[in-house]
Amino acid sequence: MAASSRSSQISSRISRSRGDRSAAGAGVPGRRRCCCRCGCRSAVATTAAALLRQVGGERAGALLKAIQGGGETVVFAGSEPKTRFFSYADGTRAVRDGDDWRIDGAKSTVMAAQWASMFLVSAATPSGTSLFAVSPDAPGVTLHPYRTIDGRRAGDVRLTNVRVGAADLLGEEGGALPAIEAEMQKIVKEAHPVARSVMSRDEAVKFFRHMGEEYKAEIIESIPADEDLSLYAQGEFTDLCRGPHV
C-alpha cells in the first residue's frame, strides 16, 4: 500500500478514536483532511524565546537565558476561547493595582501547558496588548489539562484576580502586539518549504516516541511492519500527514 494511503488511514483512526470533527479542510472541496499539529515542546520553547527576544528588557532577558540553560519551560498563553489560535488579547485584561497588576481572563489550547514553569500571558491594558510573566503556581491560576486529537499535551488556563509584580510586565506596556506581529512577519519571510519524507513503520515509531508522541507511536505500531509512512516537515515542525501540500 502507498505511504500516503497508509498515513491517510492512521489519520482517520486518530480522528475516529478522539471524535474529531474539526480537521483542517473538512467540508472544503478538493482539500484533504490533515492530522498535522505544531505543538511539540521544542516548538513551544522556540515561540516563547522568539517573543522574549522581541519584547526585550531585563526580565525577558533573564527568562530567555533560563530557557537556553534548560532551567525554565516558558509557554506562550495567547489564544482565547472562541478565537482558536488568534493571539491578540481581548477577553483577558490586566489593570494596575498600586505597583502591581491584576489579571483576569482565560486562555485556551495552550500547548505544553502541563510542563510550563512560566506562562507568557497576553492581556489587554490601557496602552494596548501587553505581555506578562505569570507562574502556573500563582494564586488564581487554574489549569484544565487534556490531550489534543493527535495526542499532544495542551490545557485551558483560567486567570482569576491574578496578581503579578511590576517586573512581570515584559517589555513596554502595550508592546506585545508589535512583538507578536514582528515574529509572525519573521516566520513569513523565512518561507520554509514543505518537504515530504517516507519512513518505515519502525522508524516512525522511534521518531514519534522521541518527540514524546506516545499515543501516535502506539497507533503506528498497529500497522504491518512492511508498510511505509509519509511525513511532512516545515521548518522545525514535522508530523505524520497524508498530503499532498502545495
Side-chain angles (χ1 to χ4, degrees), residues 179-199:
I180 294 170
E181 290 179 332
E183 180 59 22
M184 292 172 66
Q185 289 299 322
K186 176 176 175 289
I187 293 171
V188 171
K189 289 179 181 178
E190 287 173 349
H192 290 295
V194 177
R196 181 178 182 270
S197 62
V198 176
M199 289 187 182

Side-chain angles (χ1 to χ4, degrees), residues 51-132:
L51 287 175
L52 290 169
R53 283 193 293 267
Q54 289 288 348
V55 298
E58 184 176 348
R59 180 80 162 102
L63 285 172
L64 183 58
K65 186 175 181 180
I67 292 174
Q68 294 169 339
E72 292 273 10
T73 301
V74 182
V75 173
F76 178 46
S79 61
E80 302 191 350
K82 300 181 181 180
T83 64
R84 290 181 62 79
F85 301 107
F86 186 71
S87 298
Y88 305 155
D90 183 21
T92 301
R93 299 184 176 277
V95 297
R96 288 189 180 275
D97 187 356
D99 293 333
D100 297 336
W101 292 86
R102 285 188 296 105
I103 305 175
D104 287 275
K107 298 296 180 178
S108 62
T109 322
V110 179
M111 303 307 300
Q114 295 90 329
W115 294 307
S117 59
M118 188 68 67
F119 289 125
L120 302 184
V121 176
S122 56
T125 59
S127 298
T129 301
S130 300
L131 199 64
F132 294 88

Side-chain angles (χ1 to χ4, degrees), residues 11 14-15 18 20-25 33-40 43 84-85 109 111 148-153 208 211 213 216 232 236-241:
S11 300
I14 294 173
S15 298
R18 295 300 179 90
D20 181 36
R21 294 296 181 271
S22 59
R33 292 179 180 235
C34 173
C35 67
C36 292
R37 298 292 187 272
C38 298
C40 65
R84 290 181 62 79
F85 301 107
T109 322
M111 303 307 300
T148 61
I149 191 67
D150 57 357
R152 298 176 189 254
R153 299 297 185 103
F208 284 107
M211 290 176 63
E213 303 292 346
K216 191 175 295 182
Y232 283 81
E236 298 175 351
F237 308 128
T238 303
D239 212 341
L240 184 74
C241 186

Side-chain angles (χ1 to χ4, degrees), residues 203-224:
E203 287 175 332
V205 169
K206 183 178 180 180
F207 177 81
F208 284 107
R209 282 227 163 92
H210 181 72
M211 290 176 63
E213 303 292 346
E214 181 62 30
Y215 175 69
K216 191 175 295 182
E218 290 177 2
I219 293 177
I220 297 171
E221 281 182 323
S222 69
I223 73 171

